Amino acid sequence: MTTEDREGRDVAEVRPRHRLEGIAASPGIGIGPAYIVDRGRVQVPRYSIERGDVREEIGRFREALRATQEQLEAIKSRLPHGEHRQILKAQQMMLRDPDLTGDVEARIREDLINAEWAMMTVARDVERMLSEAADEVFRERSSDVAHLSNRVLLNLLGKTDDEIDPPAGSVVVAFDLSPADTAALARADVTGLVTEVGGRTSHSAIMARSLEIPAVVGVEDVTEYVRTNDMVVVDGTHGHVVIRPTRDEIEHWQEVRRRYDAFEDEVQRDHALPATTLDGVHVVLRANAALDEEIASASFHGADGIGLYRTEYVFMGRDAPPTEEEHYRRAKAILRRMAPHPVTFRTFDLGADKVAAYVRGRGAGENPALGVRSLRLALRERHLFVAQLKGLLRAALHGPLRIMLPFVSGLEELEAALEVLDEAKSELAREGMAHATDVPVGIMVEVPAAALAADRLAPEVDFFSIGTNDLIQYTLAIDRENDDVGYLYEPLHPAILRQLRMVAEAGARANVPVSLCGEMAADPRYTWVIVGLGIHELSMHPSAIPVVKNIVRQSTLAEMEALAAEALAARSGAEAERRVLEVMQARFPEHLEHGGVDGLPRPGGPVPVRARSGDDGAGEAGQSSETGGYGAM
Ligand code: PEP
Ligand code: MG
């Protein structure tokens, strides 16, 4: 069987491959037809301009080029080194190519037409010329020009992102999803997600877990193998993706899904019971959330409140920042829905890969993960911060609201943020607005500096919450968005365990409760170690709560402390991981099989090479064409 890819090339040779491996990012089994995220052409307006408006029109075009350059830079910074980065670099060079930009400006000037139309017609000419070239290298550049001109056109039209709209029951397959795209998934009832880029703690992965969508990320070249409506199986617990499965395979995966669902039902039965150990120690289990949809999920899974509400998503995918009033209304609504439980609002954590158009690139620098992001950005964009704090202080009259500051790296930064909080209170008092004056304020401990200086920070705060996603990233020097270094992600690395213990001890001495809200909290492998280290509050994506609660209810604090001590004594992360896995596997085999995710590269193991089974020839291709007609299951 032969088919053509998007550029019309014969891709018969890739169809036989039917099984890919990636990073398990969100547990569960999804089976459904593929929905490929491949943004199509933009609708382009055409109109004439006056000769006197030419300068302004060219200015508009140059501004769109500048914005496009910036966007490409931001995307590029999130990608691992390799081919895709090169593509973006080449696109950036093309944007500076006078053959392209000079022609557009000439057309605006000579034909007196709008910049959008000039851009589109020039790009079409270049595309046509390239696509007719004899050399394949040139033909391939034709689609680069198409993607690039689309992006410039979107900027000219003032559009930020295209909305994606996958049908219910589909498996979304994409090269990458922006956080705004992933948020759109919340509105669609999709059954699975597969992306080429992204690591386990990337924001797409976190969002998929929160929305309970089985997901596998970091699946190399997947968009080349899958066509719209191909059947796809996503095993988000173990990191497998099966494309065009046979009838027998589909039956097998349906059975796996049935067993997964049965286990979930089993642990969900206890959702309303307290997470208390056999020897009577209560462990607080809260939910992480970013979208309104997740609040219902938090209650359903028995959360003792929200331990981390990621407010930055409210700021994204829009042209203007949320107002004080909007913050107030949203927070009030969430408090009402979670009553009587507390809700911890983390002030906006924008920057690095979470960008909002109106603060895009401000002070981000060459290395945005170490630049002006998060609290640093809030302290600079003071008006945004004040508006948010005022909204939260007003909402706090309606329920147990807590404010959490992200990315604190030291005392002065914390004091600067507390000063802004005082300013917000004074403004509200001046304006005669009713607000709470005694809102608990805590910090995320996610920068190693904060963990190491936790004893200095403890007297100044009401609670700590350890963000292991960033703490691991910054301690072990591994970009959390880069799956090439995913194999170095070691939650049980001695450097991490020691910091967890330091924070737990600093908290205990100052009587400051310590929580852990990174992805590690949701992994049943680590429940004993975390609680055993003295961290008795965990916050995680809602669907993980029942599994962790079930483990806590079957354990004693003494055995958890013993395992934590063993992990701390291990010589390396890999050694600790082996021992912890041995103990937890023996005690909770089902929890480890179905809960959490198993696709994490094994710490200390060799650099993972993405295995690709199913290179097995024409037989598979024959089977796949037979199964092509299956409907959604
Ligand atoms: C963390 O860093 O662990 C965390 C919980 O915050 P985020 O994943 O939003 O950076
Ligand atoms: Mg963080």
Side-chain angles (χ1 to χ4, degrees):
M1 177 176 180
T2 55
T3 46
E4 289 180 348
D5 71 2
R6 281 174 231 135
E7 278 78 51
R9 291 169 305 198
D10 180 355
V11 290
E13 74 279 9
V14 299
R15 287 189 68 76
R17 295 187 168 177
H18 78 296
R19 188 169 169 140
L20 306 176
E21 304 292 327
I23 298 171
S26 174
I29 310 293
I31 307 172
Y35 170 87
I36 314 285
V37 176
D38 177 20
R39 298 195 162 82
R41 295 241 176 224
V42 184
Q43 291 294 322
V44 181
R46 176 187 186 156
Y47 53 89
S48 303
I49 58 167
E50 300 291 324
R51 193 159 295 283
D53 295 335
V54 165
R55 244 176 99 99
E56 194 184 317
E57 197 64 10
I58 289 179
R60 221 164 58 76
F61 172 61
R62 289 185 183 167
E63 176 55 28
L65 290 181
R66 196 199 51 74
T68 307
Q69 280 286 9
E70 243 179 38
Q71 289 160 0
L72 293 176
E73 194 54 43
I75 298 171
K76 202 175 71 187
S77 69
R78 302 205 312 261
L79 295 179
H81 288 279
E83 207 184 328
H84 292 296
R85 247 185 119 109
Q86 290 307 328
I87 292 173
L88 286 163
K89 260 193 186 160
Q91 292 199 345
Q92 286 182 306
M93 278 169 63
M94 246 185 252
L95 274 185
R96 288 191 285 267
D97 182 348
D99 275 353
L100 188 74
T101 58
D103 274 4
V104 177
E105 294 187 11
R107 239 172 246 200
I108 295 173
R109 204 178 299 113
E110 287 157 23
D111 300 349
L112 295 179
I113 45 158
N114 59 319
E116 289 87 348
W117 193 257
M119 175 72 216
M120 191 204 69
T121 49
V122 169
R124 285 255 164 104
D125 289 349
V126 177
E127 277 174 57
R128 197 172 310 116
M129 191 186 72
L130 289 171
S131 64
E132 286 164 4
D135 190 328
E136 200 196 329
V137 175
F138 281 106
R139 288 206 302 275
E140 279 182 9
R141 283 193 57 199
S142 156
S143 71
D144 289 349
V145 174
H147 283 129
L148 191 62
S149 65
N150 257 19
R151 194 170 273 285
V152 177
L153 286 170
L154 284 174
N155 280 314
L156 274 169
L157 293 165
K159 294 188 179 166
T160 39
D161 261 326
D162 286 358
E163 282 271 299
I164 60 168
D165 188 20
S170 58
V171 171
V172 172
V173 180
F175 172 69
D176 189 14
L177 290 181
S178 68
D181 281 338
T182 332
L185 290 184
R187 294 186 288 276
D189 185 18
V190 303
T191 189
L193 171 67
V194 185
T195 64
E196 285 193 21
V197 300
R200 216 183 83 68
T201 56
S202 66
H203 292 281
S204 304
I206 289 173
M207 196 63 94
R209 281 194 287 283
S210 293
L211 296 170
E212 299 175 38
I213 301 170
V216 181
V217 301
V219 186
E220 212 170 89
D221 297 336
V222 67
T223 53
E224 306 224 343
Y225 297 116
V226 190
R227 231 64 42 70
T228 296
N229 287 331
D230 275 352
M231 282 307 298
V232 176
V233 176
V234 184
D235 175 356
T237 313
H238 302 97
H240 307 310
V241 178
V242 185
I243 300 160
R244 297 181 292 276
T246 62
R247 256 175 225 284
D248 285 352
E249 282 175 322
I250 288 179
E251 271 169 26
H252 162 76
W253 285 108
Q254 284 171 329
E255 173 56 21
V256 175
R257 184 168 64 181
R258 199 196 55 70
R259 277 194 283 120
Y260 175 84
D261 290 346
F263 173 77
E264 270 219 305
D265 293 347
E266 174 72 27
V267 290
Q268 176 64 20
R269 265 206 330 226
D270 294 348
H271 79 278
L273 300 174
T276 305
T277 62
L278 294 171
D279 45 358
V281 177
H282 184 63
V283 178
V284 177
L285 299 181
R286 296 202 171 111
N288 292 353
L291 303 167
D292 291 351
E293 290 81 353
E294 292 164 295
I295 302 295
S297 178
S299 301
F300 176 75
H301 292 297
D304 301 320
I306 303 288
L308 164 63
Y309 192 86
R310 292 181 164 101
T311 62
E312 56 275 10
Y313 286 89
V314 179
F315 288 75
M316 287 156 56
R318 50 194 286 167
D319 297 330
T323 59
E324 172 193 323
E325 194 59 26
E326 189 175 343
H327 287 300
Y328 163 70
R329 273 189 283 103
R330 276 178 181 272
K332 188 166 94 173
I334 295 165
L335 284 165
R336 286 232 170 110
R337 289 171 66 191
M338 283 311 293
H341 301 294
V343 179
T344 313
F345 288 89
R346 175 176 74 182
T347 58
F348 63 88
D349 185 27
L350 290 168
D353 66 319
K354 290 185 282 193
V355 280
Y358 40 89
V359 289
R360 177 173 286 143
R362 254 179 242 173
E366 281 286 294
N367 196 344
L370 300 178
V372 180
R373 58 166 290 201
S374 198
L375 184 61
R376 299 166 186 179
L377 186 68
L379 291 172
R380 261 191 206 207
E381 304 288 328
R382 214 174 158 101
H383 61 293
L384 301 184
F385 197 25
V386 170
Q388 178 170 44
L389 292 171
K390 285 171 77 182
L392 292 176
L393 289 167
R394 286 169 55 198
L397 292 174
H398 298 268
L401 181 149
R402 312 194 312 164
I403 291 176
M404 179 153 76
L405 304 166
F407 217 67
V408 172
S409 63
L411 191 63
E412 282 75 18
E413 217 170 20
L414 169 61
E415 284 170 351
L418 295 176
E419 227 175 77
V420 183
L421 185 66
D422 283 342
E423 181 185 320
K425 285 180 190 166
S426 310
E427 273 191 28
L428 286 169
R430 262 200 315 278
E431 291 159 3
M433 297 295 281
H435 64 282
T437 50
D438 55 351
V439 175
V441 179
I443 61 167
M444 296 219 34
V445 180
E446 55 183 341
V447 179
L452 299 170
D455 58 334
R456 301 287 196 271
L457 297 166
E460 313 303 323
V461 300
D462 295 311
F463 61 91
F464 280 147
S465 190
I466 307 173
T468 44
N469 305 337
D470 278 318
L471 190 64
I472 293 171
Q473 154 164 271
Y474 292 109
T475 302
L476 303 182
I478 48 168
D479 181 349
R480 60 193 271 191
E481 303 287 330
N482 182 345
D483 51 319
D484 287 340
V485 287
Y487 72 101
L488 291 169
Y489 176 86
E490 288 187 305
L492 303 188
H493 190 293
I496 303 299
L497 290 183
R498 287 175 190 186
Q499 290 183 78
L500 298 188
R501 188 183 51 175
M502 281 180 83
V503 180
E505 286 177 352
R509 274 197 301 273
N511 215 8
V512 166
V514 179
S515 160
L516 191 152
C517 64
E519 293 306 302
M520 183 184 177
D523 194 322
R525 273 180 298 185
Y526 304 134
T527 308
W528 275 23
V529 173
I530 297 169
V531 178
L533 285 169
I535 300 166
H536 294 183
E537 295 188 16
L538 281 73
S539 191
M540 63 198 76
H541 57 92
S543 64
I545 292 174
V547 177
V548 173
K549 182 179 283 185
N550 202 267
I551 290 178
V552 169
R553 290 178 55 80
Q554 294 181 51
S555 312
T556 64
L557 185 64
E559 57 191 349
M560 299 199 228
E561 285 176 344
L563 187 63
E566 270 194 70
L568 265 170
R571 284 162 50 243
S572 69
E575 196 178 294
E577 179 80 24
R578 274 194 295 277
R579 178 63 187 142
V580 167
L581 199 57
E582 190 185 359
V583 171
M584 298 305 280
Q585 185 72 49
R587 198 54 195 274
F588 302 103
E590 276 201 310
H591 297 68
L592 265 61
E593 186 191 344
H594 300 295
V597 285
D598 184 41
L600 282 182
R602 289 288 162 226
V607 177
V609 185
R610 266 183 230 98
R612 187 174 280 139
S613 55
D615 289 359
D616 20 31
E620 292 294 342
Q623 286 170 344
S624 69
S625 60
E626 274 169 33
T627 59
Y630 289 2
M633 281 174 283

